[in-house]
Short mmCIF file of all heavy atoms in Angstrom, two decimals:
data_model
loop_
_atom_site.label_atom_id
_atom_site.label_comp_id
_atom_site.label_asym_id
_atom_site.label_seq_id
_atom_site.Cartn_x
_atom_site.Cartn_y
_atom_site.Cartn_z
N ALA O 1 68.01 54.91 -41.67
CA ALA O 1 66.63 55.53 -41.44
C ALA O 1 65.48 54.66 -41.92
O ALA O 1 64.46 54.43 -41.25
CB ALA O 1 66.58 56.86 -42.15
N PHE O 2 65.77 53.80 -43.04
CA PHE O 2 64.69 53.03 -43.62
C PHE O 2 64.53 51.76 -42.55
O PHE O 2 63.33 51.37 -42.40
CB PHE O 2 65.14 52.42 -44.92
CG PHE O 2 64.34 51.26 -45.41
CD1 PHE O 2 63.00 51.59 -45.95
CD2 PHE O 2 64.76 50.01 -45.46
CE1 PHE O 2 62.22 50.66 -46.43
CE2 PHE O 2 63.89 49.00 -45.93
CZ PHE O 2 62.69 49.29 -46.54
N PHE O 3 65.59 51.27 -42.07
CA PHE O 3 65.43 50.31 -40.98
C PHE O 3 64.77 50.69 -39.73
O PHE O 3 63.94 49.94 -39.19
CB PHE O 3 66.80 49.68 -40.56
CG PHE O 3 67.44 48.64 -41.62
CD1 PHE O 3 68.18 49.17 -42.70
CD2 PHE O 3 67.05 47.36 -41.58
CE1 PHE O 3 68.77 48.19 -43.56
CE2 PHE O 3 67.50 46.46 -42.54
CZ PHE O 3 68.43 46.96 -43.55
N TRP O 4 65.00 51.83 -39.33
CA TRP O 4 64.16 52.44 -38.22
C TRP O 4 62.71 52.48 -38.53
O TRP O 4 61.89 52.25 -37.71
CB TRP O 4 64.67 53.81 -37.78
CG TRP O 4 64.05 54.19 -36.49
CD1 TRP O 4 64.62 54.09 -35.23
CD2 TRP O 4 62.95 55.00 -36.30
NE1 TRP O 4 63.72 54.51 -34.25
CE2 TRP O 4 62.85 55.35 -34.97
CE3 TRP O 4 62.01 55.57 -37.19
CZ2 TRP O 4 61.64 55.89 -34.43
CZ3 TRP O 4 60.94 56.29 -36.64
CH2 TRP O 4 60.70 56.42 -35.30
N LEU O 5 62.38 53.00 -39.65
CA LEU O 5 61.02 53.07 -40.19
C LEU O 5 60.37 51.65 -40.22
O LEU O 5 59.16 51.59 -39.93
CB LEU O 5 60.88 53.78 -41.59
CG LEU O 5 61.27 55.19 -41.63
CD1 LEU O 5 61.34 55.72 -42.99
CD2 LEU O 5 60.18 55.98 -40.80
N LEU O 6 61.11 50.64 -40.58
CA LEU O 6 60.65 49.31 -40.58
C LEU O 6 60.20 48.86 -39.11
O LEU O 6 59.24 48.24 -38.88
CB LEU O 6 61.65 48.37 -41.11
CG LEU O 6 61.72 48.32 -42.68
CD1 LEU O 6 62.95 47.26 -42.97
CD2 LEU O 6 60.48 47.93 -43.41
N SER O 7 61.09 49.31 -38.27
CA SER O 7 60.81 48.95 -36.73
C SER O 7 59.55 49.63 -36.32
O SER O 7 58.72 49.10 -35.57
CB SER O 7 62.02 49.26 -35.85
OG SER O 7 62.15 50.64 -35.81
N LEU O 8 59.33 50.94 -36.76
CA LEU O 8 58.19 51.70 -36.41
C LEU O 8 56.90 50.94 -36.96
O LEU O 8 55.94 51.00 -36.23
CB LEU O 8 58.37 53.04 -36.86
CG LEU O 8 57.13 54.08 -36.62
CD1 LEU O 8 56.91 54.19 -35.23
CD2 LEU O 8 57.38 55.36 -37.32
N LEU O 9 56.95 50.52 -38.21
CA LEU O 9 55.83 49.91 -38.74
C LEU O 9 55.59 48.65 -37.98
O LEU O 9 54.27 48.34 -37.85
CB LEU O 9 56.20 49.57 -40.32
CG LEU O 9 55.08 48.75 -41.03
CD1 LEU O 9 53.78 49.62 -41.07
CD2 LEU O 9 55.68 48.47 -42.41
N ALA O 10 56.50 47.86 -37.82
CA ALA O 10 56.26 46.55 -36.99
C ALA O 10 55.68 46.77 -35.67
O ALA O 10 54.74 46.22 -35.11
CB ALA O 10 57.54 45.77 -36.90
N ALA O 11 56.23 47.93 -35.00
CA ALA O 11 55.75 48.22 -33.58
C ALA O 11 54.33 48.78 -33.77
O ALA O 11 53.37 48.39 -32.82
CB ALA O 11 56.61 49.32 -32.94
N SER O 12 54.01 49.56 -34.72
CA SER O 12 52.50 49.98 -34.99
C SER O 12 51.57 48.77 -35.21
O SER O 12 50.52 48.85 -34.62
CB SER O 12 52.48 51.03 -36.06
OG SER O 12 53.36 52.08 -35.85
N LEU O 13 51.98 47.89 -36.05
CA LEU O 13 51.19 46.67 -36.27
C LEU O 13 50.91 45.92 -35.05
O LEU O 13 49.85 45.38 -34.71
CB LEU O 13 51.76 45.92 -37.36
CG LEU O 13 51.77 46.52 -38.77
CD1 LEU O 13 52.59 45.49 -39.70
CD2 LEU O 13 50.39 46.60 -39.24
N LEU O 14 52.04 45.75 -34.23
CA LEU O 14 51.86 44.85 -32.94
C LEU O 14 51.08 45.67 -31.96
O LEU O 14 50.11 45.02 -31.33
CB LEU O 14 53.24 44.74 -32.31
CG LEU O 14 53.36 44.02 -31.05
CD1 LEU O 14 52.93 42.58 -31.29
CD2 LEU O 14 54.81 44.01 -30.43
N TRP O 15 51.06 46.99 -32.02
CA TRP O 15 50.17 47.75 -31.00
C TRP O 15 48.69 47.67 -31.43
O TRP O 15 47.90 47.44 -30.62
CB TRP O 15 50.67 49.09 -30.95
CG TRP O 15 49.68 50.11 -30.26
CD1 TRP O 15 48.82 50.96 -30.92
CD2 TRP O 15 49.59 50.34 -28.83
NE1 TRP O 15 48.03 51.72 -29.93
CE2 TRP O 15 48.57 51.21 -28.71
CE3 TRP O 15 50.21 49.68 -27.76
CZ2 TRP O 15 48.25 51.63 -27.42
CZ3 TRP O 15 49.75 50.08 -26.51
CH2 TRP O 15 48.83 51.06 -26.29
N PHE O 16 48.55 47.69 -32.71
CA PHE O 16 47.12 47.62 -33.23
C PHE O 16 46.48 46.27 -32.88
O PHE O 16 45.37 46.26 -32.51
CB PHE O 16 47.13 47.91 -34.76
CG PHE O 16 45.82 47.65 -35.43
CD1 PHE O 16 44.85 48.70 -35.41
CD2 PHE O 16 45.43 46.63 -36.11
CE1 PHE O 16 43.59 48.71 -35.89
CE2 PHE O 16 44.14 46.44 -36.76
CZ PHE O 16 43.21 47.47 -36.62
N VAL O 17 47.29 45.22 -33.23
CA VAL O 17 46.75 43.93 -32.84
C VAL O 17 46.55 43.67 -31.40
O VAL O 17 45.50 43.04 -30.99
CB VAL O 17 47.73 42.81 -33.38
CG1 VAL O 17 47.36 41.48 -32.98
CG2 VAL O 17 47.85 42.90 -34.88
N SER O 18 47.51 44.22 -30.57
CA SER O 18 47.27 44.10 -29.14
C SER O 18 46.07 44.76 -28.59
O SER O 18 45.35 44.28 -27.79
CB SER O 18 48.60 44.55 -28.39
OG SER O 18 49.75 43.97 -28.84
N VAL O 19 45.85 45.95 -29.12
CA VAL O 19 44.66 46.75 -28.57
C VAL O 19 43.36 46.05 -29.18
O VAL O 19 42.35 45.95 -28.38
CB VAL O 19 44.64 48.19 -29.13
CG1 VAL O 19 43.36 48.89 -28.93
CG2 VAL O 19 45.87 48.90 -28.51
N GLN O 20 43.38 45.54 -30.31
CA GLN O 20 42.13 44.81 -30.82
C GLN O 20 41.83 43.60 -30.09
O GLN O 20 40.70 43.27 -29.81
CB GLN O 20 42.38 44.57 -32.38
CG GLN O 20 42.46 45.76 -33.29
CD GLN O 20 41.18 46.65 -33.14
OE1 GLN O 20 40.00 46.01 -33.19
NE2 GLN O 20 41.26 47.90 -33.11
N LEU O 21 42.97 42.93 -29.67
CA LEU O 21 42.65 41.58 -28.98
C LEU O 21 42.40 41.71 -27.48
O LEU O 21 41.38 41.10 -26.96
CB LEU O 21 43.96 40.67 -29.04
CG LEU O 21 44.29 40.11 -30.48
CD1 LEU O 21 45.65 39.36 -30.45
CD2 LEU O 21 43.13 39.31 -30.98
N SER O 22 42.93 42.86 -26.83
CA SER O 22 42.64 43.09 -25.37
C SER O 22 41.57 43.88 -25.28
O SER O 22 40.77 43.95 -24.17
CB SER O 22 43.92 43.57 -24.77
OG SER O 22 44.29 44.88 -25.27
N GLY O 23 41.23 44.88 -26.19
CA GLY O 23 40.09 45.79 -26.13
C GLY O 23 40.36 46.90 -25.00
O GLY O 23 39.34 47.46 -24.55
N ARG O 24 41.56 47.19 -24.67
CA ARG O 24 41.86 48.18 -23.78
C ARG O 24 43.20 48.75 -24.10
O ARG O 24 44.09 48.28 -24.86
CB ARG O 24 42.02 47.59 -22.32
CG ARG O 24 43.04 46.57 -22.17
CD ARG O 24 42.87 45.79 -20.78
NE ARG O 24 43.84 44.70 -20.71
CZ ARG O 24 45.12 44.73 -20.33
NH1 ARG O 24 45.54 46.05 -20.00
NH2 ARG O 24 45.82 43.73 -20.29
N GLU O 25 43.46 50.10 -23.51
CA GLU O 25 44.63 50.81 -23.79
C GLU O 25 45.09 51.38 -22.50
O GLU O 25 45.11 52.50 -22.28
CB GLU O 25 44.44 51.87 -24.80
CG GLU O 25 44.08 51.36 -26.13
CD GLU O 25 43.96 52.65 -27.04
OE1 GLU O 25 44.61 53.69 -26.80
OE2 GLU O 25 43.30 52.42 -28.19
N ASP O 26 45.59 50.57 -21.50
CA ASP O 26 45.94 50.96 -20.19
C ASP O 26 47.43 51.20 -20.20
O ASP O 26 48.24 51.02 -21.03
CB ASP O 26 45.50 49.94 -19.11
CG ASP O 26 46.01 48.66 -19.43
OD1 ASP O 26 46.79 48.46 -20.38
OD2 ASP O 26 45.66 47.63 -18.56
N ALA O 27 48.04 51.67 -18.95
CA ALA O 27 49.41 51.94 -18.86
C ALA O 27 50.28 50.70 -18.95
O ALA O 27 51.40 50.80 -19.52
CB ALA O 27 49.60 52.63 -17.46
N ALA O 28 49.80 49.56 -18.56
CA ALA O 28 50.53 48.33 -18.59
C ALA O 28 50.82 47.93 -20.03
O ALA O 28 51.87 47.64 -20.48
CB ALA O 28 49.91 47.19 -17.86
N LEU O 29 49.78 48.07 -20.87
CA LEU O 29 49.94 47.74 -22.31
C LEU O 29 50.76 48.72 -22.93
O LEU O 29 51.52 48.37 -23.95
CB LEU O 29 48.49 47.75 -22.99
CG LEU O 29 48.48 47.19 -24.40
CD1 LEU O 29 48.96 45.82 -24.50
CD2 LEU O 29 47.02 47.39 -24.96
N LEU O 30 50.78 50.00 -22.57
CA LEU O 30 51.65 51.02 -23.24
C LEU O 30 53.06 50.72 -22.89
O LEU O 30 53.88 51.03 -23.77
CB LEU O 30 51.13 52.40 -22.66
CG LEU O 30 51.79 53.63 -23.28
CD1 LEU O 30 51.47 53.70 -24.79
CD2 LEU O 30 51.33 54.92 -22.62
N LEU O 31 53.39 50.37 -21.63
CA LEU O 31 54.80 50.02 -21.26
C LEU O 31 55.18 48.92 -22.15
O LEU O 31 56.36 48.85 -22.53
CB LEU O 31 54.84 49.72 -19.79
CG LEU O 31 54.75 50.88 -18.78
CD1 LEU O 31 54.59 50.42 -17.41
CD2 LEU O 31 56.02 51.65 -18.92
N LEU O 32 54.47 47.80 -22.23
CA LEU O 32 54.86 46.70 -23.04
C LEU O 32 55.02 47.05 -24.45
O LEU O 32 55.96 46.57 -25.18
CB LEU O 32 53.77 45.58 -22.85
CG LEU O 32 53.58 44.87 -21.51
CD1 LEU O 32 52.45 43.91 -21.52
CD2 LEU O 32 54.95 44.13 -21.14
N GLY O 33 54.14 47.96 -24.92
CA GLY O 33 54.42 48.43 -26.28
C GLY O 33 55.59 49.12 -26.57
O GLY O 33 56.31 49.07 -27.59
N ALA O 34 55.93 50.02 -25.55
CA ALA O 34 57.12 50.75 -25.77
C ALA O 34 58.46 49.94 -25.63
O ALA O 34 59.38 50.04 -26.39
CB ALA O 34 57.36 51.78 -24.54
N ALA O 35 58.44 48.89 -24.70
CA ALA O 35 59.43 47.87 -24.63
C ALA O 35 59.60 47.13 -25.95
O ALA O 35 60.70 46.88 -26.36
CB ALA O 35 59.23 46.95 -23.51
N ALA O 36 58.54 46.60 -26.52
CA ALA O 36 58.48 45.93 -27.89
C ALA O 36 59.05 46.88 -28.96
O ALA O 36 59.84 46.38 -29.82
CB ALA O 36 57.06 45.40 -28.11
N ALA O 37 58.78 48.08 -28.86
CA ALA O 37 59.22 49.00 -29.92
C ALA O 37 60.73 49.21 -29.87
O ALA O 37 61.44 49.22 -30.84
CB ALA O 37 58.54 50.33 -29.73
N VAL O 38 61.33 49.28 -28.58
CA VAL O 38 62.74 49.32 -28.45
C VAL O 38 63.36 48.04 -28.88
O VAL O 38 64.51 48.16 -29.60
CB VAL O 38 63.02 49.58 -26.86
CG1 VAL O 38 64.43 49.38 -26.63
CG2 VAL O 38 62.68 50.87 -26.48
N LEU O 39 62.94 46.94 -28.57
CA LEU O 39 63.57 45.64 -29.04
C LEU O 39 63.39 45.49 -30.49
O LEU O 39 64.37 45.02 -31.22
CB LEU O 39 62.78 44.47 -28.33
CG LEU O 39 62.93 44.33 -26.85
CD1 LEU O 39 62.00 43.25 -26.31
CD2 LEU O 39 64.30 44.23 -26.37
#
């Protein structure tokens, strides 16, 4: 469970950085974020 929480933290940080750099939250970015979270 701890390792899954680590992946959630990493995915959240990646999403935050992506939104700040792109300045948008469209469907394409959401799909990429979900794929990154799975990986």
Side-chain angles (χ1 to χ4, degrees):
F2 174 73
F3 278 94
W4 188 90
L5 290 172
L6 285 180
S7 70
L8 179 64
L9 175 62
S12 301
L13 291 174
L14 182 62
W15 171 258
F16 177 77
V17 172
S18 301
V19 170
Q20 293 298 318
L21 292 177
S22 62
R24 57 188 177 87
E25 296 183 22
D26 54 5
L29 186 62
L30 189 61
L31 282 170
L32 291 175
V38 169
L39 295 177

